[in-house]
Amino acid sequence: MSRPVVTDTITAIQQDVIVDDVAVHGNWSSSAFFGKFYHLHAATMTDFTPWQQELIVSHISRLKLLRPDTTTGKVYSILFLDVFGVVRSLAVFRLTGASKDYIVIGSDSGRIVILEYNPTKNVFEKAHQETFGKSGCRRTDPKDRAVMIGSMEKQKLVKWSEAVDRKSNMLIAVPGGTDGPSGVLVCSEDYVTYKHIESATLAVPIPRRENPLEIIDRGVLIVSGVVHKMKNSFLLLQSEEGDLYKVTIDYTGDTVNEIKIKYFDTVSVASSLHSEEWIPVRCHHFYQFEKLGDDDDTLGYARKDFMMTDGERLDTRVYFKPRPLENLLLVLNLMDEDTPQIYALCGRGSRSTMRILRHGLEVTEMAVSPLPANPTAVWTTRLNADDPYDQYIIVSFSNATLVLSIGEAVEEVTDTGFLATTPTIAVQQLGQDALLQIYPQGIRHIRANKQVTEWRAPGGRQIVRAATNRQQVVIALTGVRTCPLPKGRRRVRFLAVGCDDNTVRILSLESSSCLESLSMQALSGVPESLVMIDMPDQLSEGSLTTLYLNIGLQNGVLLRTVLDQTSGQLSDTRTRFLGARGVKLFELNMAGNPAVLALSSRPWLSYQLQSRIHLNPLSYDALEYAASFTSEQCLEGVVAIAGNEFKVFTIEKFGQVFNETAVPLTYTPRRFVVNPVHKSIAIIETDHQTFSPSAKKKKLEKLGFKDEAEEDGLDPAVFGHTRSEPEKWASLVRILNPSTGETTFKLDLEHNEAAFSLAVLNFAVDAGELFLAVGTASDLTLAPKSLASGFIHIYKFVNDGLGLEFVHKTAVEDVPHALLHFQGRLLAGIGRILRIYDLGKRKLLRKCENRSIPTSIVTLHNQGGRIVVGDVQESVHYASYIASDNKIVVSADDKAPRWITCSAMIDYDTVAAGDKFGNFFVDRLPQKISQEIDEDEAGSKSVGKGYLHGAAHKVDLVAHYHVGDVLTSLAKASFVAGGREMVLYTSFLGGVGIFIPFQTKEDIDFFQTLEMHMRNEMPPLAGRNHLSYRGYHVPVKGTVDGDICEQYNLLSGDKKRMIAEELDRTSAEIQKIEDMRICAI
């Protein structure tokens, strides 16, 4: 594919043409997104390792080493590394008589750098650096040298009774024992009361919504509640309005000291609530805990504030202000999948696509075969310890065992010595050439000559769990969840046992202290499975390994903890929620190292790559059981079962955490919006100097052609569209079904109109219908800018959102680059005019406007009556709509001019944006000014005397960071259910990145100090000064470069320890840098 960044585009941007006119721009869009190398600065073939061929490519400021596999025709990612500079040229050279290549880089540092690839460490090492100037090296030409109900029991006597409020409607039990003080919450109208037979009665009022139209005589009732059990348990109560309240009980021993209540969040009214790591509501809404409401600004209320001196309850009311979800995350996506998706517009012209990106490693499915029944487990085994490949696949059913032989074909065999009339619990290749089958009634030892020795479980008892390696076997007859042994060791010193009391215990297997308890770890749930594996040590060089114990819990949580190889103590525990199902763990071998496959509501893989442990989901169906699989055709495969299907697959692209599905488009996509009701997608596509179908037909008829195919017969998807004369446009509106990728409606625009903006909205005058507004321009000339007219087309969604019906179109003065639904009306940015429209019968009706925006409006956002406007060259402007006077008032703007390409509203006072010079910045309206503006109902203070030739107030710059590429879209998003909310960006040359907000001052100090050390200890490979690069135009502010912090794992052991000492931490504690990425993706 050709590069999308062509000379005329670059020239247009340099001549200050609006980005919308020359590049893809808007929500989730990018001009070149995850292409095959068409957006790369450079690519060249190399031989870094003898007798192997690799491909080195540059993604602006990142180098990527790829290795093609000639047998499969695929390309594998070997290494990717940031150089923190703009790579402008790449070349390779080889010294005379040498068998491997070196790479030479020219960059904006003004230096050329020679790099050598170290295959042992899998890193690039700087061999030489030469400074030539300050302007940067554009080319190099070496010429060939150079991550809890009560039960009614018989004869049960009532021991305690107490009068309650006659308006009480609900009782909620308070946990007792180790989980709480016991007792009961009595939910009444306006109050929640704690009662216990041996404790004083404590009451607290239920907060009410702030509402000027409040009905005073109506009380608040609780309709559902749940206990969220954790280290500090609390209760969630829900009112009939859908408001959730967090109730905490402070107690000492069995004595309750205080009861507190505070507003938590608002969700749909539920008939019941259940809380683990998520909350199901009405059986079709699921909410994930983002946080526990301890660190927000919501006011809480305690019992002591509402009790009189005589102990009577003070009759009063308290209030709260509802807000969008803050502590909970609604798990929802267009396809109702367990995997969140990113929808992105990519490419240009006839090669444009909509990419559906799913967070997860790409899986290559090699075989799928139905089985006669639903199996319960699967294993693979070699017959001899020296066999290079697996010989048998053993499949266990509820009442039988099936053995399959692996050869040129996979077929059933019956003379293996395995007992086929019973389910199997475990299979192991034992010693040199023996096999072991563990089944509920005993153990079957099968020798190479098929001689079988059996051990039967004593006293009619059954084996329920087993753990094995080549030298040791451990079985559990009752009450033990799991007992893993590391597979790679001949004899191990430790046994890990998961128990029903929510603990994992480490037992000794030494002959002198066999089964003696060494350590224990309390868990937040019952363990489902355990896996103990050795992984290469991240803190030292050489062959040292770290022993990790992976713990899967029934509540969907995965824990990874370090097991000391000498004392058996557990430390450095990391936690991650994987899904709603219990986590089953299986040991694999991936990317040349031991790995762990975790199966929950979706499969996950924990593996090591480039000295860092990654935990990523797989883009694959939910699985029930799995095992490693090795054959001549598949060295690192997996066999798994799902329902009654037997599956074989492999994972190849470990460095790429997204996989994609491409839907071809006709022209360059400009923007798209999602129909929030029907979940369909509306896309506008526009190309300059391209024939529209009608214009092309007319032209062909004029030339004497009756059929378009007679012209040239070339497929536009391969050869591109036929170019037309300048100032001619081809444009269309498309409706796409995202679940099938099918285009359900397509409308070509006539009369040389080009679409540049769109919005989904419903008008207050016709609230029952959903409309699509499309902004277009007719006969548009880019430079010098001119147009015949601008238009706003209104369409109505029909056929369940899969089609459109034309309503009318309205002529406007300029190009409408931004449209937005606003309080039941349409807010439009038409050139420099900000205008509000309402729906009329024949056209849109003007309601009010503001003409004080300096240049041209390119982005619009709003919350409530506040509007954030992005100007193409004068940064962001804050405006307010004064409903009483029906006017729009611009109240604040930026101090500095910025050429806006995209923006996203983070909260009511904060906006993030990107400019055409590759900078990301965050502006915030000071809280005091924000309050003054909101309280100024007439807008007189907002209009006051202008400052610096602009608005009366100025926003504060709170963050600034040079990304290195033009940002094309920004959005608040979360990659995984329960993951931290972040700002996602896409860039002009195909990049995708995230900005993760810090949550504690401790984390800020830690990462800032680590970043400082990394600048000194690991300077950028391309020779660029890191601080200068990230502050290319404006000094970096309020942002830490996570990419350079993550390179800590690439340092030598000595440098790691030195930095750890400077930070007053252990080397293991600094590994928390990987948690920042894991918490987000």
Side-chain angles (χ1 to χ4, degrees):
M1 299 179 68
S2 62
R3 291 172 52 129
V5 185
V6 294
T7 303
D8 56 340
T9 300
I10 296 176
T11 303
I13 293 178
Q14 291 173 344
Q15 293 176 353
D16 300 336
V17 176
I18 298 174
V19 174
D20 270 342
D21 297 334
V22 296
V24 180
H25 168 70
N27 188 24
W28 299 106
S29 63
S30 174
S31 64
F33 201 99
F34 283 127
K36 293 299 181 186
F37 309 130
Y38 61 86
H39 59 280
L40 306 182
H41 269 250
T44 184
M45 296 299 296
T46 67
D47 291 322
F48 285 129
T49 52
W51 317 115
Q52 291 192 19
Q53 192 175 55
E54 292 97 358
L55 182 68
I56 181 74
V57 296
S58 165
H59 297 254
I60 306 172
S61 64
R62 170 171 287 199
L63 294 179
K64 193 169 187 179
L65 181 62
L66 306 173
R67 181 172 293 160
D69 189 332
T70 56
T71 60
T72 63
K74 298 180 180 180
V75 178
Y76 301 96
S77 175
I78 305 301
L79 170 65
F80 48 90
L81 193 66
D82 283 289
V83 299
F84 307 106
V86 178
V87 177
R88 294 179 173 168
S89 57
L90 286 175
V92 298
F93 69 97
R94 180 179 299 185
L95 299 176
T96 303
S99 60
K100 69 174 184 177
D101 293 331
Y102 293 85
I103 179 174
V104 57
I105 300 176
S107 70
D108 62 341
S109 65
R111 301 178 171 100
I112 63 165
V113 177
I114 297 174
L115 302 179
E116 178 184 7
Y117 175 64
N118 186 329
T120 304
K121 297 180 180 180
N122 192 31
V123 295
F124 284 117
E125 296 177 343
K126 188 182 298 185
H128 183 72
Q129 176 178 297
E130 192 72 31
T131 302
F132 283 91
K134 296 181 180 180
S135 61
C137 297
R138 267 62 175 185
R139 297 180 59 191
T140 54
D141 190 10
K143 300 296 183 184
D144 295 328
R145 293 180 180 269
V147 180
M148 158 189 117
I149 219 166
S151 62
M152 296 184 64
E153 302 171 359
K154 291 182 179 180
Q155 300 176 351
K156 182 82 173 185
L157 298 178
V158 176
K159 297 183 180 182
W160 171 57
S161 67
E162 187 172 330
V164 298
D165 191 310
R166 61 186 300 271
K167 295 182 179 180
S168 299
N169 69 306
M170 191 174 186
L171 297 176
I172 299 176
V174 176
T178 59
D179 296 323
S182 76
V184 66
L185 284 183
V186 181
C187 301
S188 312
E189 184 176 281
D190 291 329
Y191 277 88
V192 173
T193 307
Y194 172 79
K195 289 183 177 292
H196 192 281
I197 189 173
E198 298 176 355
S199 179
T201 298
L202 307 176
V204 65
I206 302 172
R208 305 163 65 94
R209 294 185 180 182
E210 288 183 1
N211 188 350
L213 302 178
E214 176 190 16
I215 302 175
I216 302 298
D217 297 329
R218 181 178 179 180
V220 178
L221 291 177
I222 298 298
V223 296
S224 59
V226 65
V227 179
H228 184 69
K229 292 185 178 181
M230 48 181 296
K231 184 177 181 180
N232 297 314
S233 299
F234 60 86
L235 298 94
L236 279 182
L237 309 182
Q238 188 182 41
S239 73
E240 58 190 333
E241 300 288 342
D243 301 320
L244 290 173
Y245 304 94
K246 179 181 179 180
V247 178
T248 56
I249 300 175
D250 295 342
Y251 63 96
T252 305
D254 294 332
T255 303
V256 175
N257 305 316
E258 186 61 274
I259 178 173
K260 301 176 182 178
I261 189 171
K262 69 181 297 187
Y263 170 67
F264 190 77
D265 261 333
T266 300
V267 299
S268 302
V269 178
S271 56
S272 64
L273 294 173
H274 176 74
S275 174
E276 286 291 340
E277 298 296 328
W278 40 264
I279 301 178
V281 177
R282 281 188 176 180
C283 300
H284 62 269
H285 282 105
F286 288 84
Y287 294 85
Q288 178 70 44
F289 279 104
E290 283 268 87
K291 52 184 180 177
L292 301 179
D294 297 326
D295 55 352
D296 56 25
D297 298 329
T298 305
L299 185 63
Y301 303 95
R303 181 268 320 175
K304 64 182 180 180
D305 300 328
F306 306 96
M307 302 295 288
M308 294 187 291
T309 56
D310 58 359
E312 290 296 318
R313 187 178 73 194
L314 183 64
D315 191 10
T316 187
R317 291 183 173 182
V318 295
Y319 295 87
F320 71 93
K321 187 175 182 178
R323 50 164 169 71
L325 288 180
E326 186 173 290
N327 299 304
L328 298 176
L329 172 69
L330 175 60
V331 181
L332 175 67
N333 55 64
L334 297 181
M335 294 187 181
D336 293 329
E337 295 182 0
D338 205 22
T339 308
Q341 305 99 37
I342 297 175
Y343 293 82
L345 300 179
C346 320
R348 61 190 299 270
S350 60
R351 298 181 180 89
S352 303
T353 58
M354 163 165 272
R355 304 291 176 98
I356 304 172
L357 305 174
R358 293 173 176 84
H359 177 228
L361 298 173
E362 183 177 344
V363 170
T364 301
E365 193 171 72
M366 305 184 69
V368 177
S369 177
L371 294 170
N374 287 4
T376 58
V378 63
W379 301 269
T380 58
T381 184
R382 295 170 169 83
L383 297 181
N384 191 290
D386 298 328
D387 288 343
Y389 309 122
D390 292 323
Q391 303 295 320
Y392 287 163
I393 298 175
I394 300 92
V395 184
S396 176
F397 298 87
S398 60
N399 59 356
T401 296
L402 175 68
V403 181
L404 304 174
S405 176
I406 304 171
E408 293 184 0
V410 177
E411 55 187 7
E412 181 181 358
V413 289
T414 58
D415 58 345
T416 61
F418 281 85
L419 187 61
T421 58
T422 180
T424 298
I425 294 175
V427 173
Q428 176 66 49
Q429 194 277 315
L430 197 65
Q432 182 62 31
D433 55 5
L435 297 177
L436 200 69
Q437 178 190 16
I438 302 177
Y439 58 98
Q441 290 76 33
I443 301 175
R444 197 171 179 91
H445 183 201
I446 308 167
R447 293 179 172 83
N449 57 6
K450 299 299 188 289
Q451 182 180 351
V452 176
T453 303
E454 288 202 58
W455 176 88
R456 305 288 294 186
R461 301 173 69 182
Q462 290 190 342
I463 301 172
V464 294
R465 292 288 189 273
T468 64
N469 59 25
R470 287 184 54 200
Q471 300 292 331
Q472 295 166 295
V473 179
V474 177
I475 60 173
L477 299 178
T478 55
V480 177
R481 286 282 171 187
T482 48
C483 316
L485 297 170
K487 302 292 185 183
R489 302 183 176 203
R490 294 177 61 87
R491 294 186 65 86
V492 298
R493 300 179 57 194
F494 308 116
L495 172 69
V497 181
C499 306
D500 282 329
D501 59 354
N502 293 5
T503 61
V504 165
R505 303 169 190 267
I506 304 300
L507 308 180
S508 172
L509 291 182
E510 297 286 356
S511 57
S512 60
S513 57
C514 190
L515 299 184
E516 178 181 317
S517 180
L518 300 177
S519 62
M520 179 188 74
Q521 179 163 328
L523 307 171
S524 61
V526 178
E528 174 74 21
S529 63
L530 308 176
V531 163
M532 196 186 299
I533 62 170
D534 279 316
M535 281 190 170
D537 199 336
Q538 302 179 63
L539 305 178
S540 62
E541 298 178 354
S543 59
L544 296 181
T545 61
T546 300
L547 188 58
Y548 292 98
L549 176 63
N550 295 268
I551 309 169
L553 305 185
Q554 289 184 357
N555 59 12
V557 173
L558 172 66
L559 295 88
R560 191 190 77 223
T561 185
V562 176
L563 177 58
D564 189 278
Q565 303 190 40
T566 303
S567 65
Q569 297 298 309
L570 298 171
S571 63
D572 191 22
T573 301
R574 311 293 175 89
T575 303
R576 177 71 180 268
F577 177 73
L578 301 188
R581 290 167 45 182
V583 179
K584 297 179 181 179
L585 303 176
F586 305 92
E587 184 176 353
L588 306 175
N589 192 49
M590 290 288 169
N593 291 311
V596 176
L597 181 66
L599 303 182
S600 182
S601 51
R602 62 186 298 198
W604 296 69
L605 185 69
S606 175
Y607 61 100
Q608 191 171 51
L609 182 68
Q610 290 187 231
S611 302
R612 186 165 63 88
I613 296 178
H614 300 253
L615 178 61
N616 291 317
L618 304 183
S619 290
Y620 202 53
D621 302 331
L623 304 174
E624 298 165 12
Y625 210 92
S628 63
F629 175 72
T630 303
S631 69
E632 188 174 357
Q633 295 79 22
C634 180
L635 297 179
E636 293 183 344
V638 180
V639 294
I641 54 176
N644 68 335
E645 289 186 329
F646 172 82
K647 299 185 176 186
V648 181
F649 63 88
T650 185
I651 305 164
E652 299 168 338
K653 301 178 181 179
F654 292 99
Q656 299 180 10
V657 297
F658 287 96
N659 72 91
E660 62 187 57
T661 301
V663 179
L665 303 176
T666 305
Y667 307 121
T668 301
R670 299 289 169 170
R671 294 189 182 184
F672 79 93
V673 291
V674 177
N675 181 323
V677 177
H678 305 100
K679 300 298 185 289
S680 57
I681 294 177
I683 308 171
I684 53 173
E685 306 168 31
T686 301
D687 266 341
H688 187 217
Q689 286 189 264
T690 302
F691 282 107
S692 66
S694 59
K696 188 174 184 178
K697 183 178 181 180
K698 291 178 181 178
K699 187 72 172 179
L700 289 174
E701 290 177 351
K702 185 177 181 179
L703 295 175
F705 293 97
K706 296 181 180 181
D707 191 348
E708 182 178 330
E710 296 181 25
E711 178 203 3
D712 50 28
L714 300 179
D715 182 6
V718 179
F719 299 95
H721 293 293
T722 305
R723 304 289 287 181
S724 71
E725 59 269 20
E727 287 70 57
K728 295 297 181 181
W729 299 81
S731 189
L732 61 82
V733 180
R734 183 192 303 266
I735 303 297
L736 192 73
N737 185 337
S739 60
T740 63
E742 175 190 2
T743 297
T744 59
F745 178 86
K746 188 168 72 171
L747 174 66
D748 288 288
L749 299 182
E750 303 292 341
H751 310 299
N752 200 28
E753 284 190 60
F756 293 98
S757 60
L758 79 169
V760 173
L761 70 160
N762 61 311
F763 290 98
V765 296
D766 195 357
E769 299 290 346
L770 201 62
F771 296 89
L772 179 71
V774 179
T776 69
S778 177
D779 297 329
L780 176 65
T781 301
L782 295 179
K785 183 179 177 181
S786 66
L787 72 159
S789 179
F791 295 96
I792 298 179
H793 297 239
I794 300 297
Y795 302 91
K796 182 169 63 176
F797 281 98
V798 294
N799 300 330
D800 294 328
L802 299 179
L804 294 176
E805 178 183 296
F806 178 73
V807 178
H808 53 60
K809 73 177 183 178
T810 304
V812 294
E813 303 93 320
D814 207 334
V815 182
H817 280 291
L819 301 175
L820 182 69
H821 173 252
F822 180 76
Q823 299 182 359
R825 296 175 176 179
L826 175 64
L827 182 64
I830 305 167
R832 57 188 296 268
I833 306 170
L834 184 61
R835 182 179 293 161
I836 295 179
Y837 284 101
D838 208 344
L839 184 66
K841 291 184 177 180
R842 297 186 177 182
K843 66 178 181 177
L844 293 173
L845 307 177
R846 297 187 189 185
K847 292 303 177 180
C848 70
E849 66 181 36
N850 183 293
R851 293 175 175 262
S852 63
I853 304 301
T855 311
S856 179
I857 300 170
V858 292
T859 64
L860 286 174
H861 309 280
N862 88 289
Q863 284 190 21
R866 177 163 294 174
I867 304 169
V868 176
V869 181
D871 184 87
V872 70
Q873 70 180 51
E874 294 294 338
S875 194
V876 296
H877 299 252
Y878 283 66
S880 299
Y881 173 62
I882 311 300
S884 58
D885 296 335
N886 190 30
K887 65 180 180 180
I888 301 173
V889 178
V890 175
S891 53
D893 58 14
D894 205 344
K895 301 182 184 75
R898 302 179 190 278
W899 295 72
I900 300 294
T901 58
C902 59
S903 62
M905 205 168 179
I906 307 302
D907 58 40
Y908 189 66
D909 296 324
T910 312
V911 62
D915 65 26
K916 74 172 189 177
F917 301 106
N919 298 308
F920 167 86
F921 63 95
V922 178
D923 282 341
R924 177 174 293 154
L925 188 64
Q927 186 175 4
K928 183 178 180 180
I929 297 177
S930 177
Q931 292 176 350
E932 290 179 358
I933 293 173
D934 289 344
E935 294 169 358
D936 181 19
E937 297 181 357
S940 57
K941 295 181 181 179
S942 303
V943 178
K945 185 177 180 181
Y947 176 64
L948 293 178
H949 304 286
H953 307 288
K954 299 298 176 182
V955 296
D956 293 335
L957 179 66
V958 297
H960 198 282
Y961 182 85
H962 180 68
V963 175
D965 191 8
V966 180
L967 274 63
T968 57
S969 68
L970 286 168
K972 282 204 309 182
S974 177
F975 273 117
V976 295
R980 187 180 302 178
E981 195 171 44
M982 60 205 170
V983 178
L984 173 77
Y985 72 82
T986 60
S987 66
F988 189 69
L989 294 181
V992 179
I994 56 175
F995 290 92
I996 308 172
F998 285 111
Q999 294 184 327
T1000 65
K1001 182 66 166 61
E1002 179 188 1
D1003 283 346
I1004 296 174
D1005 294 339
F1006 168 79
F1007 280 98
Q1008 283 180 337
T1009 307
L1010 178 61
E1011 181 186 37
M1012 177 190 68
H1013 283 288
M1014 289 304 300
R1015 290 188 186 121
N1016 298 327
E1017 300 300 330
M1018 198 169 187
L1021 284 177
R1024 188 78 162 96
N1025 181 279
H1026 176 266
L1027 194 59
S1028 298
Y1029 176 68
R1030 291 307 185 194
Y1032 216 105
H1033 305 98
V1034 177
V1036 64
K1037 179 180 182 179
T1039 311
V1040 174
D1041 190 347
D1043 291 328
I1044 195 171
C1045 291
E1046 286 186 340
Q1047 291 193 2
Y1048 174 85
N1049 293 316
L1050 302 178
L1051 294 174
S1052 64
D1054 292 338
K1055 287 188 176 181
K1056 288 180 180 179
R1057 283 186 285 270
M1058 184 270 292
I1059 293 177
E1061 290 174 0
E1062 292 285 340
L1063 295 174
D1064 195 24
R1065 303 188 183 224
T1066 65
S1067 296
E1069 289 174 335
I1070 296 188
Q1071 297 304 319
K1072 69 181 291 184
I1073 56 179
E1074 70 184 49
D1075 295 342
M1076 185 61 71
R1077 180 181 289 265
I1078 289 176
C1079 72
I1081 61 173

